[in-house]
Amino acid sequence: MEKIIVIGNGMVGYKFCEKLRAKAGKNQFEITVFGEEPHPAYDRVHLSEYFTNPSVASLEMAPRSWYEENDINLISGEMIIAIDRANKTITSHKGTTLSYDKLILATGSSAFVPPIKGVEKQGVFVYRTIEDLDAIIEYSKKTKKAAVLGGGLLGLEAAKAMIDLKQETHVVEFAPRLMPRQLDNAGSDALLSKMEELGIRLHLNKNTRNISGDGKITAMEFADDSILDVEMLVISAGIKPRDELATACGLAVGQRGGIVVNDLLQTDDTDIYAIGECALHKNFIYGLVAPGYEMADVVVNQLIGSNDKTFKSYDMSTKLKLIGVDVASFGNALCENETHKPIVFEDNYKGIYKRINISEDGKRLLGGILVGEAEAYNMLLQITLNGMALPPNPEDLILGSRGGEETKMELPDSAQICSCENVTKGDICQAIVDNGFEDVAQVKACTKAGTGCGACNPIVKDIFNEQLAKMGKVVKNVICEHFDYSRQELLDIIKIKKVKDFDQLLDEHGKGDGCETCRPLAASLLASTWNEMILEKGKDAIQDTNDKYLANIQKGGSYSVVPRIPGGEITPDKLIVIGEVAKEYDLYTKITGGQRIDLFGAQIHQLPDIWEKLINAGFESGHAYGKSLRTVKSCVGSTWCRYGLHDSVSFSIEVEERYRGLRSPHKLKSAVSGCRRECAEAQSKDFGIIATEIGWNLYVCGNGGSNPQHAVLLAGDVDSATCLKYIDRFLMFYIKTAEPLNRTATWLNKLDGGIDYLIDVVVNDSLGIAADLEREMQFMVDTYKCEWKEVVNNPELRKKFTHFVNTEIPDPTMKFEDMRGQKKPVEWGA
Ligand SMILES: Cc1cc2nc3c(=O)[nH]c(=O)nc-3n(C[C@H](O)[C@H](O)[C@H](O)COP(=O)(O)OP(=O)(O)OC[C@H]3O[C@@H](n4cnc5c(N)ncnc54)[C@H](O)[C@@H]3O)c2cc1C
Ligand code: SF4
């Protein structure tokens, strides 16, 4: 049997063993692994979880028994101190000498400690191993003020740990910005303001000259002569590849460290490979786990005799949550040396910054940065990696489609979905087809997708759902990895357990921190159950972008103001107020298809003042931003029209005022026509009403937009009260059973039994739930409040719309030009 020795039982050393055992026969190799640390390999990526759950076992990549079961000789707590290349042996500090046929160096890195005077003092730590964390936890029991040296990825993670340890926390960074390798200045500013909000004090441009104190650290002294008093310091200033063994046995190492390897991961001794953070490939050390796993795969392939795979430069895109703040950087994020056209969206108030870099010809996405909101990350990464053609309005990729529908692009099978485990879309789909999986957890266990850093989990679930749909399968559609429930089940939990906010829901019925899928969904369910103000503390952070500002974001980054004009009826006085407000704030005005007036081009801090003026004039929120009722359009009806059978305007106003503000899985549109000539186009709406000689015909589940669908008759010749009763039941039934972002038309198309079943439930009360549905709707009607009125009259809520910087200064990133006497945003590429 060929003898394989692995030096280093870290994440990559472990992954190498796992892959070799999985791909090779049990009798092909004798595997021995040496680890200097006392524990079996553990998940360093999630090391910080040790602060909240100090259990080594829960971090282990696999228990010791796994090594035994797989005939792998794991020798922990033993450091290899010499390699004898001539005799092909290694020797440990305990004097163990073993021979090898192939040697794998997976010695990783240690924390880089800059040569600062006083760095050896008591109270100065690094942040790399479980033992480091134990020492930090112990020392912090005596301290109250700590600093982290280094404002990069790991430094900020260490800062979060310091907060958890109840320290007054400072971050000291040499560069003028945070995460200098991933973020530009504006991205760093957004992150910085978020960090400061959380109580972390940041010191940029600081060159630490000395660590002072008598035996133990009491202060940091900087080159600009300033001083920061601290009792503890955690150094997180980068990594230093562990190449000392390689150097000692004469293998080539880089000038700044790292064992030199070729595309096969061979060192200059073809029997010795180096993988993971100790390997220097094309002059680059990869400080992330995914490239290390890929290196392990390349070496395993060679050992089993399949030489077709080589290691290519690796994408360094990352998405992570730093202290609850999403930060992502992908592709060529900074584009410092590449000509490009950036599209930037910046919101200083919420600490959101998004930038995408478009190629000069406008055809490809080169990379980008997301801070504060990163749900678009997976799709943007795939577009970048696969060179996919951009949509006509590339800004929609970071602003969301202005039409409210999802902007989804079909990924090719070759798209790499999980970079930690190198799993493609094709691999995921094939695993589902081959094994008949009906649960996303089975797919993850089989393909390993999403089991590394976890950033790809949302897209894995989307692919899973799409594939099942293609196969015509119906599955329990759990929301995401944070809730093992369908939307319907979660709604029942909220009602029965009287859950009022997301944190309670997550603590009592979910797991983890929540994500971009479950947060807005829960926000919608909470709103459509309790009808409470969505911007109150505990509810504000989970809303969709548009809901957060009670306004729709528009091209160029400004917001629109849309007051409700029920039935499209408006007095001259109210028209004058709209005109005055538009003039005062220089807003573009346009009459919409829903018979109201949109005002475009407002900045966030202007919104409360604009709304105050409108509310004083008798307007209220039009909910154009929400997944809720938009408008009830009407024709002029019997009051003016010669053909009119009934007063369609009055009825449309009654309908609109009844369902205004009602939160639902998607937006709702309605219309009332005064006769069958249908001037209000009621049959293209989610619910539409047409006058008949003796009453009204009620149509449901129509849709305009990209997939037009005619509404179908739910009830004919009903009187006004019955019509409203059926609408109550229909809407509540839809709200309770539809998947998120399914319009009524899509919902009906999926409903078993279709319109006949719906008629049975709504008109014939076949499920015996009609009274409940009506009661619940009446509760929503009785508890309705105009959200904008609440904001205008509540100083605390109002503050949320004030930029904490540059309050009165127009946002310089918003540029407008003139068109037909009004303003319009400057095109992104101009
Ligand atoms: C706090 C923290 C957070 C991180 N977060 C992320 C993240 O979000 N995403 C990401 O991709 N990466 C992250 N990383 C980086 C990631 O953990 C590393 O890229 C990964 O652990 C590298 O694996 P490795 O096996 O090459 O090295 P290591 O994990 O360092 O393992 C090497 C092992 O070899 C042992 N060893 C060294 N020399 C010898 C010897 N002579 N004899 C015996 N044993 C030896 C070492 O003791 C060590 O146990 C994070 C790292 C830290 C510290
Ligand atoms: S739908 Fe009938 S009532 Fe309404 S405007 Fe048209 S013709 Fe007149």
Side-chain angles (χ1 to χ4, degrees):
M1 259 200 284
E2 205 172 355
K3 286 185 193 163
I4 308 286
I5 292 184
V6 184
I7 305 180
N9 183 221
M11 296 183 80
V12 175
Y14 162 79
K15 189 55 71 176
F16 170 83
C17 295
E18 187 195 273
K19 284 178 184 277
L20 188 58
R21 270 296 177 243
K23 289 194 181 178
K26 240 189 173 176
N27 299 324
Q28 200 178 344
F29 299 104
E30 179 189 302
I31 308 174
T32 305
V33 194
F34 283 89
E36 161 199 70
E37 295 187 66
H39 331 275
Y42 54 88
D43 182 353
R44 219 178 285 284
V45 170
H46 292 103
L47 186 63
S48 300
E49 288 171 14
Y50 188 73
F51 284 103
T52 41
N53 175 23
S55 142
V56 179
S58 64
L59 282 178
E60 278 172 4
M61 304 291 291
R64 215 169 265 282
S65 56
W66 177 86
Y67 296 86
E68 285 157 21
E69 284 156 21
N70 286 282
D71 269 343
I72 295 169
N73 182 19
L74 169 64
I75 304 174
S76 303
E78 210 161 324
M79 181 183 175
I80 303 304
I81 51 167
I83 299 170
D84 179 344
R85 286 170 54 198
N87 293 307
K88 294 182 82 171
T89 61
I90 52 96
T91 303
S92 82
H93 81 289
K94 290 187 179 168
T96 315
T97 297
L98 291 180
S99 63
Y100 63 83
D101 294 312
K102 299 282 181 202
L103 183 64
I104 317 296
L105 300 176
T107 49
S109 295
S110 53
F112 169 68
V113 178
I116 301 169
K117 222 172 119 212
V119 80
E120 71 297 336
K121 287 201 163 57
Q122 227 188 317
V124 180
F125 300 92
V126 293
Y127 193 82
R128 177 94 197 165
T129 65
I130 286 179
E131 285 65 36
D132 294 334
L133 265 59
D134 281 335
I136 291 171
I137 292 169
E138 195 50 38
Y139 199 82
S140 72
K141 291 178 184 160
K142 301 172 286 191
T143 62
K144 291 204 161 50
K145 191 171 172 184
V148 174
L149 185 68
L153 273 173
L154 291 187
L156 295 177
E157 202 168 314
K160 150 92 167 105
M162 294 306 106
I163 296 258
D164 288 345
L165 291 174
K166 311 265 180 299
Q167 304 291 306
E168 179 188 309
T169 303
H170 297 254
V171 171
V172 176
E173 166 61 49
F174 178 76
R177 62 181 193 248
L178 292 175
M179 294 179 58
R181 292 170 67 177
Q182 288 89 3
L183 301 183
D184 57 11
N185 286 339
S188 160
D189 285 349
L191 183 59
L192 201 127
S193 60
K194 280 281 190 190
M195 298 279 143
E196 282 175 344
E197 250 177 69
L198 293 161
I200 297 175
R201 296 160 205 206
L202 293 132
H203 310 265
L204 301 177
N205 273 318
K206 288 286 180 191
N207 182 1
T208 311
R209 197 181 53 194
N210 186 31
I211 293 170
S212 53
D214 187 11
K216 42 175 141 161
I217 177 172
T218 52
M220 298 171 76
E221 296 170 8
F222 305 114
D224 61 5
D225 289 337
S226 57
I227 291 177
L228 177 66
D229 291 333
V230 284
E231 298 163 284
M232 177 162 73
L233 174 65
V234 177
I235 295 183
S236 183
I239 54 172
K240 188 171 165 299
R242 297 277 305 264
D243 56 12
E244 62 272 13
L245 270 179
T247 311
C249 72
L251 294 174
V253 294
Q255 249 183 359
R256 299 174 63 196
I259 307 164
V260 176
V261 289
N262 59 20
D263 289 355
L264 295 171
L265 284 321
Q266 287 164 328
T267 63
D268 49 10
D269 178 333
T270 50
D271 289 328
I272 305 181
Y273 295 87
I275 56 177
E277 276 189 5
C278 63
L280 182 72
H281 179 254
K282 296 204 165 122
N283 229 2
F284 197 85
I285 295 281
Y286 290 92
L288 294 176
V289 72
Y293 284 3
E294 175 67 4
M295 288 177 175
D297 204 51
V298 170
V299 176
V300 165
N301 269 18
Q302 285 169 69
L303 295 181
I304 61 169
S306 134
N307 278 340
D308 54 343
K309 193 167 180 183
T310 55
F311 184 78
K312 311 217 167 53
S313 301
Y314 208 84
D315 178 64
M316 290 292 281
S317 304
T318 28
K319 176 189 166 199
L320 55 152
K321 209 175 213 45
L322 285 168
I323 322 191
V325 184
D326 281 323
V327 181
S329 137
F330 59 93
N332 194 348
L334 301 176
C335 267
E336 281 167 338
N337 300 314
E338 190 163 0
T339 44
H340 66 288
K341 290 177 176 171
I343 301 180
V344 172
F345 165 69
E346 202 174 352
D347 179 344
N348 295 329
Y349 160 59
K350 284 280 175 188
I352 293 172
Y353 174 76
K354 302 183 191 182
R355 161 179 166 177
I356 49 177
N357 304 318
I358 310 285
S359 61
E360 268 254 282
D361 59 9
K363 290 189 177 146
R364 281 176 311 111
L365 184 56
L366 303 173
I369 296 167
L370 305 168
V371 178
E373 218 176 61
E375 58 265 45
Y377 169 75
N378 278 303
M379 186 50 81
L380 292 172
L381 177 64
Q382 293 305 332
I383 295 172
T384 309
L385 295 181
N386 295 294
M388 289 163 69
L390 288 174
N393 292 312
E395 70 275 14
D396 281 357
L397 294 170
I398 48 174
L399 298 182
S401 162
R402 288 174 296 275
E405 305 290 337
E406 291 167 280
T407 330
K408 279 204 172 161
M409 294 174 72
E410 176 78 11
L411 296 174
D413 276 355
S414 59
Q416 191 197 45
I417 302 301
C418 173
S419 54
C420 290
E421 293 287 346
N422 190 14
V423 186
T424 63
K425 178 184 167 189
D427 296 334
I428 294 172
C429 296
Q430 202 57 49
I432 299 169
V433 172
D434 290 350
N435 302 294
F437 291 141
E438 297 201 341
D439 181 344
V440 75
Q442 294 171 311
V443 179
K444 285 166 71 175
C446 169
T447 60
K448 296 209 171 326
T451 57
C453 69
C456 63
N457 275 323
I459 202 162
V460 171
K461 180 170 180 280
D462 284 351
I463 293 170
F464 171 74
N465 287 343
E466 277 166 25
Q467 181 60 32
L468 285 173
K470 269 188 207 157
M471 292 160 68
K473 287 199 177 180
V474 181
V475 283
K476 179 173 173 186
N477 204 354
V478 297
I479 288 159
C480 63
E481 74 262 30
H482 303 108
F483 291 97
D484 284 333
Y485 300 107
S486 66
R487 181 185 183 279
Q488 173 67 56
E489 287 167 336
L490 210 56
L491 183 63
D492 290 342
I493 288 171
I494 287 173
K495 293 185 83 161
I496 292 162
K497 298 276 177 85
K498 303 218 176 332
V499 178
K500 291 291 179 96
D501 65 45
F502 181 74
D503 288 345
Q504 188 191 349
L505 191 65
L506 192 65
D507 286 352
E508 295 173 9
H509 305 282
K511 49 186 182 263
D513 288 337
C515 63
E516 52 270 18
T517 305
C518 60
R519 284 171 172 270
L521 171 67
S524 160
L525 295 180
L526 288 163
S528 49
T529 308
W530 306 120
N531 218 10
E532 289 176 350
M533 177 58 181
I534 61 167
L535 294 189
E536 272 169 9
K537 212 163 184 301
K539 301 191 186 77
D540 52 346
I542 57 171
Q543 305 297 334
D544 264 346
T545 318
N546 290 339
D547 272 326
K548 276 183 202 159
Y549 312 114
L550 304 179
N552 279 338
I553 187 161
Q554 305 293 340
K555 208 167 174 175
S558 67
Y559 288 80
S560 63
V561 172
V562 189
R564 185 168 298 291
I565 301 178
E569 184 180 82
I570 187 163
T571 61
D573 283 344
K574 280 186 156 181
L575 273 175
I576 288 167
V577 172
I578 288 189
E580 282 169 353
V581 168
K583 266 185 146 176
E584 184 176 345
Y585 292 91
D586 187 23
L587 303 175
Y588 168 85
T589 53
K590 163 103 176 63
I591 293 170
T592 72
Q595 300 183 333
R596 51 189 182 182
I597 300 170
D598 279 6
L599 304 144
F600 292 90
Q603 294 188 40
I604 290 179
H605 70 274
Q606 295 175 326
L607 291 171
D609 294 343
I610 291 174
W611 274 105
E612 184 166 17
K613 292 192 162 78
L614 292 171
I615 282 163
N616 287 341
F619 287 102
E620 59 180 4
S621 170
H623 290 97
Y625 45 83
K627 303 278 179 283
S628 54
L629 180 77
R630 296 285 164 86
T631 60
V632 183
K633 191 173 166 178
S634 75
C635 72
V636 74
S638 61
T639 41
W640 291 88
C641 176
R642 288 182 296 129
Y643 302 104
L645 297 171
H646 303 306
D647 180 359
S648 51
V649 179
S650 297
F651 197 41
S652 75
I653 293 172
E654 190 179 348
V655 172
E656 184 155 349
E657 290 186 342
R658 183 165 182 79
Y659 303 112
R660 62 192 163 178
L662 179 71
R663 301 276 156 169
S664 55
H666 212 310
K667 63 186 169 189
L668 291 167
K669 294 184 175 181
S670 178
V672 183
S673 282
C675 80
R676 64 183 167 79
R677 287 172 185 78
E678 248 284 66
C679 295
E681 296 160 338
Q683 289 170 97
S684 65
K685 306 296 182 202
D686 295 281
F687 58 105
I689 303 160
I690 301 175
T692 66
E693 267 74 15
I694 56 167
W696 304 98
N697 279 350
L698 173 60
Y699 294 84
V700 292
C701 302
N703 199 0
S706 51
N707 294 310
Q709 188 166 314
H710 243 241
V712 279
L713 187 68
L714 186 88
D717 289 330
V718 290
D719 58 30
S720 302
T722 310
C723 189
L724 290 179
K725 183 170 75 179
Y726 288 165
I727 299 172
D728 282 3
R729 295 177 184 178
F730 160 72
L731 288 178
M732 263 300 153
F733 189 51
Y734 161 66
I735 288 171
K736 283 165 163 291
T737 57
E739 287 301 315
L741 297 180
N742 276 198
R743 291 286 299 269
T744 53
T746 315
W747 169 69
L748 179 65
N749 296 343
K750 291 182 186 169
L751 203 64
D752 262 356
I755 186 65
D756 293 337
Y757 174 69
L758 189 58
I759 291 173
D760 251 6
V761 174
V762 172
V763 179
N764 306 328
D765 192 15
S766 59
L767 300 180
I769 57 172
D772 290 329
L773 297 174
E774 283 171 39
R775 196 179 50 250
E776 286 173 37
M777 181 59 84
Q778 195 55 48
F779 171 79
M780 304 309 282
V781 174
D782 293 342
T783 52
Y784 164 78
K785 284 188 187 138
C786 167
E787 283 157 359
W788 266 113
K789 196 170 183 180
E790 302 248 300
V791 172
V792 164
N793 294 327
N794 181 330
E796 277 312 301
L797 290 178
R798 211 170 163 137
K799 262 192 229 157
K800 291 178 186 259
F801 292 81
T802 312
H803 288 249
F804 41 78
V805 287
N806 300 346
T807 307
E808 300 305 331
I809 302 170
D811 186 337
T813 61
M814 282 185 209
K815 295 198 176 86
F816 299 98
E817 61 193 358
D818 184 79
M819 192 175 71
R820 294 184 291 276
Q822 294 202 77
K823 74 176 182 186
K824 81 178 245 309
V826 171
E827 287 302 316
W828 63 269

